Amino acid sequence: MKKLIILSILISSVFTGCKTDKKEPKISVAEDKELTVLEKIANANGFDNWNDVQSIKFTFNVDRDTEHFERTWLWNTKSNDVTMMTRQDTISYNRKSVDSTMVATDGGFVNDKFWLLAPYQLVWDQKSFTYKHTEGVEAPISKTTMHKLTTVYDNDGGYTPGDAYDYYFGDDFIIKEWVYRKENQSEPNMTTSWEDYKKLKGLNIGMMHKRPDADFSLYFTGVEVK
């Protein structure tokens, strides 16, 4: 029963980020004056090194009040082989052939990967959402003036279609805060920080996310990039 409670808490608190989660194209964004804001954010976080990545392993953790949830993923980025490891089970599958028995597992992977690599998803998913870039906006947590990028995903396809995300970042194009709004509603469903950035094999990854309105931390441990 405790496992079910923890999973229920996670599902109600953590959104599935990527809407369509199409196969990640092998894109290397060149540094030039024609870069979009999406590409600038991705590049600021090492996206131009992604094609050199063979695999990435990470543990997705959520602490809420006294409850803890975690699961570990190993993703072969070239073959799209994925393995999920928890204390109860180990499941392996290939993302090119997800059937009904793997939908829940793949949904978890999409969610956790989105939190880990959201700056890259802006490039990978750019044909699946509309976006607007606004300067001089007050960020929701720090109340400092930042850039704001709003993405609204299409209403069809993916695990949670129609959702919106507001990214807040400085002139360095590094995300500092973001907001999730289910089905593009005006009020936020979740607001978290982006903290504790670490560089691994050229990838710049935000390891910690905290909510200002709850005893909640979402963070990554054991991140290995090869």
Side-chain angles (χ1 to χ4, degrees), residues 33-164:
K33 294 181 180 180
E34 302 303 319
L35 293 180
T36 67
V37 65
L38 308 176
E39 294 165 337
K40 288 178 181 178
I41 293 172
N43 268 9
N45 288 276
F47 184 66
D48 50 350
N49 296 307
W50 180 255
N51 286 343
D52 296 327
V53 174
Q54 301 295 318
S55 68
I56 185 165
K57 183 179 181 181
F58 60 93
T59 298
F60 172 90
N61 302 269
V62 174
D63 290 343
R64 179 167 179 167
D65 298 324
T66 60
E67 301 288 354
H68 174 77
F69 173 88
E70 68 178 62
R71 55 191 170 198
T72 299
W73 300 96
L74 175 61
W75 176 28
N76 184 312
T77 62
K78 305 305 182 185
S79 66
N80 247 337
D81 289 316
V82 173
T83 299
M84 181 189 75
M85 293 160 278
T86 68
R87 294 175 182 175
Q88 295 78 33
D89 206 355
T90 297
I91 299 174
S92 296
Y93 70 103
N94 189 282
R95 301 208 64 235
K96 298 175 183 177
S97 56
V98 175
D99 58 24
S100 59
T101 65
M102 288 291 105
V103 168
T105 301
D106 189 58
F109 173 72
V110 168
N111 176 81
D112 300 1
K113 175 173 68 70
F114 192 85
W115 278 95
L116 185 76
L117 301 174
Y120 302 173
Q121 296 289 164
L122 291 174
V123 173
W124 291 334
D125 294 347
Q126 60 185 305
K127 293 183 179 180
S128 302
F129 58 69
T130 59
Y131 70 91
K132 180 181 179 180
H133 175 209
T134 308
E135 297 184 30
V137 179
E138 183 181 273
I141 300 176
S142 64
K143 306 302 181 183
T144 57
T145 301
M146 297 188 190
H147 295 259
K148 177 184 177 181
L149 172 70
T150 296
T151 62
V152 182
Y153 279 81
D154 299 341
N155 286 317
D156 56 342
Y159 289 101
T160 53
D163 291 348

Side-chain angles (χ1 to χ4, degrees), residues 1-6:
M1 179 64 70
K2 184 176 180 182
K3 288 186 290 183
L4 293 176
I5 292 173
I6 294 174

Side-chain angles (χ1 to χ4, degrees), residues 170-189:
D171 292 336
D172 59 358
F173 295 95
I174 300 297
I175 299 168
K176 304 296 193 304
E177 305 172 21
W178 76 349
V179 171
Y180 162 64
R181 295 182 289 111
K182 183 176 176 60
E183 297 177 352
N184 198 22
Q185 66 180 34
S186 58
E187 294 300 316
N189 293 88

